[in-house]
Amino acid sequence: DDRLALLDRLIEAQKATQTIERDDAVGRYAFGDRWRGEASDAEVLSAIHGWNRRNVQAGDDAECRRLVVALDDAARAALPAKADAAERAAASAGRLFDAVTEPVQLNLDTAFGVDAVADVPLNAAADRLDAWRKVSDGLTEYLNYNTQRQAAVDAGLGALMQQLDEGQLSASTAGDAFDMARYEAVLRKAFDDRPALATFDGHTHEQTLANFRALDKERMALARREVAAAHHAGLPSGGTLGQVGVLKREFQKKRRHLPLRRLLREAGTAVQAIKPVFMMSPMSVAQYLEPGLGETGLSFDLLLMDEASQVRPVDALGAVARSKQLVVVGDDKQLPPTRFFTSSVSADETGEDDPADLNTSDLESILGLCTAQNMPGTMLQWHYRSKHPSLIAVSNREFYDNKLFVIPSPARNPDDLGVRFHRITEGYFDRGGSATHRIEAQAIAAAVIEFARESPHRSLGVGAFSVGQRDAILDEIEVLRRDHPDVDGFFAEDVEEPFFVKNLENIQGDERDVIFISVGYGPDKEGKVTMNFGPLSAEGGERRLNVLITRAKRRLEVFSSLVAGDIDTARVSRRGPRAFKTFLGFAEKGCFAGDSEAAKTESNLAQATTFEAHLIDALAQRGLAAEARVGEAGLYVDVAVVDPTDESRYALAILTDGPGYAASRSARERDRSREGVLNMMGWKTLRLWSLDWFNRPKEQLDRVVAAVEAATRGDEAEHDEALASQKEAKPEIERAEPQAPVAAVLAPYCEAAFKKKARKDIDDLDTSALIDLVARIVEVEEPVHGDEVTRRAADIYKTERLTSKLRRILEDALTDAANAGRLEEGGGFFTLPGAVTTRLTTPRSRADVASAGLRRPDRLPPAEMRLALEQVVASSIGVSADDAVAEAARRLGYSSVRKPLRAVIERELRVLLEFGVVVESGGALGMAG
């Protein structure tokens, strides 16, 4: 620094005077051999000084001085010029480097650790440019990287990018690190938004679900009891009057009972009250019920018509006309009503037919009529009959658009469940002759006898495509039965599901454990196959096929010389043969064309959730095979574990809280019904919660393995307990034993009687005491006539004679009590305030009263007479007016009905009719509504 200061002063002096008046030693120290005193070249010295100054500013002065000292005089002399040249070259290189890097927006700080191009070391720049030249394609990748990097930074991933830049993360682990950070953030937000998730415990939740299931079952059982109790409360109990009387007289008869139609005409309303549900065929409705809803005909709140596709509109309309609401249940993909003995009417007598008119004769069934009228409908999607999905698979795909919910089976490759195909290679279809396949009929007959021997506990039915083939099978079975009398018991008809052989036209409605199907049609004697398959080839043949192939509950066995490849769809126009080809192909191969078990398993695994896929991998590490989404349609087992001791079945169904759980429409379906139907099919189930797996995977995996081991060793205790919890508890409804009819117990009239005020007579009572007296009497006897109140007051005070003065005092007391709001008065009768009609729940018998005035007809409260009449009409359905009046009088305590009594009771009956409380139809009384 001292030298530089001297140098600065020296140069300033030289510039001012063009001479240097300094000591030669200083000049030689600063400029070496360029210093010649006053003879020195000022420009040379100035150049050296400027170069040194720039080096000082750049911080390189010490290095430069060492360089200068190391040079000889000649090199030192040329140094300023070379430095200037180098500086110019560096400036040019900087401009060129900037021209290269500016278009690609090179981040100098990232690339070289500097802020400006001028600060980039030339050797580093040269090396970098040379590297870029050698791998020019990498520039594009680098640009893409920068773009993606900036997008990541803009997306809030700056910290991750920085760790990559600084080498804290490698490219190979960056993706996993990002996923972990993202999942942690998602989980943290889920827990923040739903605190219940953070504290979820599967064991505690299972206890909650167990309580829900128990309460749900109890609620359903209670609903049954409520219905039974409501029905019991509405049973008629009215002596021998009206329609109830008709029934009771019929009950006592030993012979000569009324014809059923007449009985329902005369006592139908009472029958409905006792048995509100009538189960009748449409023909029975017409036979036993009077038409119309009026005086003689019965009406129903709801008509539920099952198998509606089998009921013609003309047969159903009679029942519909007798009902207020209609629900029809049927399947338009099954057979329509039989058309035997019917003719089609398409035009009126003039021969004209308006296409806009809806003619019921043009519609197959009441189901079709309801559909044509755009009645609201819904599809019943649950399919319970089939114990194996293959039994309904063809129908579900061909006819129901895979909308049926089919319960999966715990059997993977069962011997006694599903569809089996038996190819008949001998014999031929006798086309042009008997139109049967005799060898096929013999094969089926032999299979029937074998079934009777080996599986007598199962039910069996045989369905044939034609009447001729049906008869051939029956003949062959009859022949074999003669040789095997030991199986005769199997063919008994007095069992719940007897053996049958039917053709496809009349098999609808039947179901058996096992169904044998005889196709019959096939190659003829010359090996030719015609595309005529009888009723199957007719219009609606696919519906016949649908009926036939859905009759089996456990197993369907197809016997046929015909295979799917024999049916040429180019030669058929109806849908029936096309669907038949699909069915035959499925029966032969066990799957649809183009499908395979391997492809299905792979597809199901692809649809599994991450949790389920992880679970399957974890089970595989424990040596257990598992499959995802086991099932055909609608209802799937999320993960099914194959039985390690028997690969033909599944040991355990694992239900997770995945998409299927979330898609359930109700808690009952989600947490009760789903497991219930799986248990019903024989599955052993285990619920696995994803949060439990996330928090404690090893514990949950051990739990699954333990459940599989318990299932495979036959430890059914836990499963049986779960299964029992799913079964519907039958309500225990206590039913009273039939008893002989007894007369209604009459409630006695209670007359007021209490102690009078001590040492007081009525004359001595003040107004307040008199009001208290009459109010207490009314409180006991309401509703009560005013004259009876005065008489009761006199009796309480033991007044021998009710004088006119005393009567006036008591009448004034009643008036004062009414004016004071203590009593209410209407038509001479008194009640406590607020009694709009009467607080009585039953009429009171005056048979044993002490006061004779209480039996006077004009002293009977109108409200009490109306109550008696209402009870009589309600309990004695269809009672006549005369009988109702007589019974009401009896309930009021009268053994006979004289004219004055009849007049007042009839007056109140007219009031009830006027106000619509009671209605009259055909001379019989009934309650409105």
Side-chain angles (χ1 to χ4, degrees):
D1 291 339
D2 293 340
R3 293 177 181 177
L4 289 176
L6 291 173
L7 180 60
D8 287 342
R9 289 197 295 274
L10 178 62
I11 291 175
E12 292 300 326
Q14 191 273 341
K15 285 183 180 179
T17 62
Q18 293 298 311
T19 60
I20 301 177
E21 299 177 352
R22 298 293 294 174
D23 184 62
D24 286 344
V26 174
R28 284 193 296 273
Y29 178 79
F31 297 104
D33 59 2
R34 290 296 176 180
W35 175 257
R36 294 187 178 87
E38 293 181 357
S40 300
D41 187 340
E43 292 183 0
V44 172
L45 297 182
S46 179
I48 293 173
H49 176 259
W51 176 68
N52 189 62
R53 293 285 295 179
R54 288 194 298 276
N55 290 336
V56 170
Q57 293 173 355
D60 298 329
D61 54 313
E63 186 66 27
C64 290
R65 290 193 193 98
R66 283 193 294 273
L67 175 63
V68 171
V69 172
L71 296 175
D72 58 20
D73 288 345
R76 192 182 300 119
L79 186 59
K82 290 183 178 180
D84 289 341
E87 186 173 0
R88 289 193 297 276
S92 176
R95 290 192 297 275
L96 292 173
F97 189 69
D98 186 56
V100 172
T101 58
E102 192 278 331
V104 296
Q105 298 181 0
L106 181 66
N107 189 322
L108 295 174
D109 183 43
T110 301
F112 300 102
V114 298
D115 296 330
V117 171
D119 297 328
V120 177
L122 293 179
N123 60 338
D127 292 342
R128 189 65 55 85
L129 288 170
D130 185 56
W132 289 352
R133 181 180 59 78
K134 291 179 181 177
V135 288
S136 57
D137 291 344
L139 277 177
T140 304
E141 295 179 0
Y142 183 69
L143 290 174
N144 290 336
Y145 167 76
N146 270 345
T147 301
Q148 294 176 17
R149 182 187 186 284
Q150 188 58 47
V153 171
D154 294 342
L157 300 177
L160 184 64
M161 294 300 101
Q162 184 177 355
Q163 291 183 26
L164 275 172
D165 294 342
E166 295 174 355
Q168 298 179 24
L169 279 178
S170 66
S172 61
T173 60
D176 293 338
F178 167 76
D179 288 340
M180 177 62 74
R182 177 175 178 271
Y183 293 147
E184 283 185 343
V186 170
L187 185 66
R188 192 159 45 249
K189 186 175 188 309
F191 285 168
D192 290 342
D193 293 345
R194 302 171 181 84
L197 290 179
T199 58
F200 178 84
D201 176 72
H203 180 69
T204 303
H205 191 62
E206 285 286 355
Q207 291 178 332
T208 302
L209 294 184
N211 290 337
F212 162 73
R213 295 184 188 112
L215 291 173
D216 191 44
K217 288 191 295 182
E218 290 176 10
R219 179 63 190 90
M220 295 181 73
L222 177 62
R224 297 188 184 99
R225 292 189 178 94
E226 288 175 340
V227 171
H231 171 57
H232 185 269
L235 288 175
S237 58
T240 58
L241 301 178
Q243 294 188 12
V244 175
V246 174
L247 289 179
K248 288 184 176 180
R249 287 190 293 275
E250 288 298 303
F251 295 158
Q252 299 302 317
K253 287 182 179 180
K254 301 298 182 183
R255 57 190 179 87
R256 299 177 62 109
H257 290 91
L258 292 176
L260 190 55
R261 184 181 181 91
R262 180 180 170 187
L263 178 66
L264 290 175
R265 180 174 67 241
E266 296 183 2
T269 306
V271 173
Q272 269 192 306
I274 298 169
K275 296 289 185 181
V277 180
F278 281 35
M279 182 175 289
M280 307 177 77
S281 68
M283 298 302 293
S284 296
V285 171
Q287 182 177 357
Y288 296 117
L289 301 184
E290 293 282 349
L293 301 175
E295 298 180 356
T296 58
L298 294 178
S299 65
F300 299 87
D301 296 314
L302 174 68
L303 171 64
L304 176 60
M305 191 170 293
D306 194 15
E307 293 288 355
S309 66
Q310 287 278 290
V311 181
R312 296 185 305 160
V314 66
D315 294 331
L317 292 181
V320 173
R322 291 170 169 84
S323 307
K324 300 174 185 177
Q325 296 184 77
L326 171 66
V327 174
V328 296
V329 182
D331 186 354
D332 59 4
K333 302 297 189 296
Q334 296 198 1
L335 290 180
T338 302
R339 290 290 183 178
F340 294 131
F341 313 115
T342 62
S343 60
S344 175
V345 179
S346 59
D348 59 18
E349 295 179 356
T350 64
E352 298 177 356
D353 190 8
D354 185 355
D357 291 338
L358 180 62
N359 193 332
T360 59
S361 65
D362 297 330
L363 297 167
E364 289 182 333
S365 65
I366 185 64
L367 179 64
L369 177 59
C370 293
T371 302
Q373 292 298 317
N374 291 320
M375 288 179 61
T378 187
M379 180 179 181
L380 303 179
Q381 295 177 303
W382 285 94
H383 176 77
Y384 293 100
R385 175 190 297 151
S386 302
K387 301 302 181 185
H388 194 271
S390 63
L391 296 173
I392 194 65
V394 174
S395 289
N396 200 16
R397 175 181 285 199
E398 286 289 314
F399 309 119
Y400 302 111
D401 300 323
N402 281 326
K403 291 181 179 179
L404 290 179
F405 288 178
V406 182
I407 306 171
S409 170
R412 295 179 74 216
N413 300 299
D415 294 330
D416 64 337
L417 296 176
V419 181
R420 298 286 178 270
F421 185 79
H422 302 281
R423 177 77 182 274
I424 307 299
T425 57
E426 298 179 358
Y428 57 89
F429 173 59
D430 187 16
R431 183 167 60 89
S434 63
T436 64
H437 196 302
R438 180 62 60 178
I439 300 299
E440 185 177 304
Q442 292 172 356
I444 287 185
V448 168
I449 298 301
E450 182 181 1
F451 184 94
R453 273 197 184 136
E454 309 224 348
S455 306
H457 58 289
R458 303 280 188 207
S459 59
L460 175 66
V462 178
F465 272 48
S466 66
V467 174
Q469 188 69 10
R470 176 201 67 187
D471 294 342
I473 294 170
L474 286 170
D475 292 343
E476 295 297 334
I477 292 175
E478 186 63 29
V479 171
L480 291 180
R481 283 185 61 185
R482 294 194 200 106
D483 298 333
H484 300 87
D486 56 308
V487 297
D488 279 350
F490 179 79
F491 299 96
E493 297 184 358
D494 57 346
V495 294
E496 184 176 354
E497 292 184 341
F499 170 77
F500 69 76
V501 180
K502 295 183 178 182
N503 62 303
L504 56 74
E505 294 286 351
N506 58 8
I507 199 173
Q508 180 161 321
D510 289 305
E511 60 179 52
R512 296 294 185 268
D513 291 330
V514 180
I515 293 290
F516 291 168
I517 289 180
S518 176
V519 172
Y521 301 102
D524 59 17
K525 195 171 186 179
E526 286 75 33
K528 295 181 180 179
V529 178
T530 64
M531 295 298 107
N532 182 4
F533 307 111
L536 200 66
S537 297
E539 181 68 32
E542 72 280 1
R543 296 161 71 174
R544 295 174 171 86
L545 177 68
N546 184 34
V547 170
L548 180 63
I549 66 178
T550 56
R551 299 301 94 199
K553 292 184 283 187
R554 299 183 58 84
R555 190 169 73 251
L556 179 67
E557 299 194 28
V558 183
F559 294 77
S560 175
S561 62
L562 194 72
V563 294
D566 294 331
I567 301 177
D568 184 0
T569 55
R571 296 168 55 193
V572 297
S573 58
R574 307 284 190 188
R575 188 182 176 190
R578 296 175 185 273
F580 182 41
K581 179 183 178 73
T582 301
F583 170 70
L584 279 179
F586 183 87
E588 294 170 44
K589 300 176 182 177
C591 62
F592 292 105
D595 291 350
S596 69
E597 284 300 320
K600 179 181 175 183
T601 300
E602 184 177 346
S603 173
N604 289 345
L605 184 58
Q607 297 180 61
T609 65
T610 303
F611 166 38
E612 292 161 359
H614 190 194
L615 172 60
I616 291 173
D617 290 342
L619 287 170
Q621 294 175 10
R622 293 287 191 95
L624 294 172
E627 299 172 6
R629 286 178 60 82
V630 171
E632 294 294 333
L635 178 64
Y636 298 92
V637 171
D638 298 316
V639 175
V641 184
V642 179
D643 190 333
T645 64
D646 181 4
E647 293 187 355
S648 69
R649 62 183 293 273
Y650 295 105
L652 186 69
I654 301 176
L655 305 180
T656 68
D657 49 355
Y661 185 80
S664 299
R665 295 169 294 179
S666 66
R668 177 179 292 145
E669 178 182 327
R670 181 173 58 247
D671 294 317
R672 183 171 167 229
S673 300
R674 189 182 181 197
E675 290 185 44
V677 296
L678 290 174
N679 292 149
M680 181 182 70
M681 286 292 289
W683 283 93
K684 298 176 178 66
T685 58
L686 177 71
R687 176 73 69 180
L688 204 60
W689 305 100
S690 54
L691 276 172
D692 281 349
W693 181 269
F694 179 80
N695 292 322
R696 302 180 300 278
K698 183 179 182 304
E699 172 196 287
Q700 294 302 306
L701 181 59
D702 291 342
R703 179 168 166 249
V704 174
V705 172
V708 173
E709 292 174 350
T712 55
R713 68 171 178 260
D715 183 2
E716 306 249 338
E718 181 179 350
H719 173 62
D720 288 345
E721 182 179 348
L723 182 61
S725 69
Q726 298 294 336
K727 292 181 179 178
E728 297 291 346
K730 293 184 178 179
E732 297 178 0
I733 301 174
E734 295 183 2
R735 302 183 184 274
E737 292 295 328
Q739 297 179 355
V742 295
V745 178
L746 304 181
Y749 190 102
C750 181
E751 298 171 79
F754 42 84
K755 291 182 179 181
K756 66 175 185 176
K757 286 186 176 292
R759 297 185 299 278
K760 292 276 188 178
D761 291 329
I762 292 181
D763 295 343
D764 300 327
L765 298 178
D766 57 21
T767 301
S768 177
L770 286 170
I771 291 176
D772 288 341
L773 173 61
V774 296
R776 287 186 66 185
I777 295 171
V778 172
E779 183 179 0
V780 174
E781 299 188 34
E782 67 166 336
V784 59
H785 195 276
D787 288 348
E788 283 302 308
V789 176
T790 59
R791 168 53 57 191
R792 212 73 71 246
D795 291 343
I796 289 170
Y797 274 83
K798 302 191 183 306
T799 303
E800 294 181 0
R801 182 169 173 270
L802 186 60
T803 64
S804 58
K805 175 183 176 184
L806 186 55
R807 183 183 298 278
R808 187 171 59 254
I809 291 173
L810 291 171
E811 289 175 349
D812 290 343
L814 283 169
T815 302
D816 293 340
N819 292 335
R822 296 281 301 276
L823 299 175
E824 289 184 355
E825 186 270 338
F829 293 87
F830 289 85
T831 62
L832 295 180
V836 178
T837 53
T838 178
R839 292 186 178 87
L840 292 175
T841 58
T842 186
R844 300 165 294 182
S845 171
R846 291 150 173 82
D848 300 316
V849 292
S851 173
L854 287 172
R855 294 183 57 81
R856 289 175 49 179
D858 60 335
R859 302 281 176 87
L860 290 175
E864 192 169 359
M865 287 186 283
R866 292 195 292 270
L867 176 63
L869 287 166
E870 288 180 41
Q871 288 189 351
V872 171
V873 172
S875 61
S876 304
I877 299 170
V879 66
S880 66
D882 286 343
D883 287 345
V885 169
E887 177 63 16
R890 189 188 72 81
R891 296 190 180 197
L892 290 168
Y894 298 89
S895 57
S896 61
V897 185
R898 298 178 182 272
K899 188 174 181 180
L901 178 60
R902 178 177 295 278
V904 296
I905 297 179
E906 287 179 345
R907 180 191 66 205
E908 299 308 321
L909 177 58
R910 288 193 294 272
V911 171
L912 291 175
L913 289 168
E914 226 175 280
F915 283 94
V917 178
V918 172
V919 294
E920 184 177 13
S921 176
L925 300 177
M927 298 300 295

